[in-house]
Amino acid sequence: MARSTARPVVKLRSTAGTGVTYVTRKNRLSDPDRMTLRKYDPVTREHVLFREER
């Protein structure tokens, strides 16, 4: 079964500047803006803001 274009794979990059990334999916129809999540950055050893990059 083909993947939906409404839920693309997005890469979340740390705003701490460490280069750590997470990969997830998002619903483009209900949330067209860039996604931001607070997740754990193992380099800084704390939770920081991760922002979607395009």
Side-chain angles (χ1 to χ4, degrees):
M1 188 157 74
R3 297 280 182 169
S4 173
T5 58
R7 294 192 64 85
V9 174
V10 295
K11 192 182 287 188
L12 302 173
R13 184 169 299 273
S14 173
T15 58
T18 59
V20 177
T21 59
Y22 281 94
V23 177
T24 188
R25 293 184 169 274
K26 78 168 196 175
N27 188 340
R28 186 184 293 158
L29 298 178
S30 66
D31 188 23
D33 300 330
R34 287 192 182 182
M35 184 181 350
T36 57
L37 295 173
R38 276 184 57 85
K39 295 187 76 66
Y40 183 74
D41 189 339
V43 176
T44 61
R45 292 194 279 180
E46 58 186 19
H47 284 82
V48 296
L49 200 62
F50 279 73
R51 186 170 177 173
E52 175 186 346
E53 73 172 15
R54 294 186 177 154

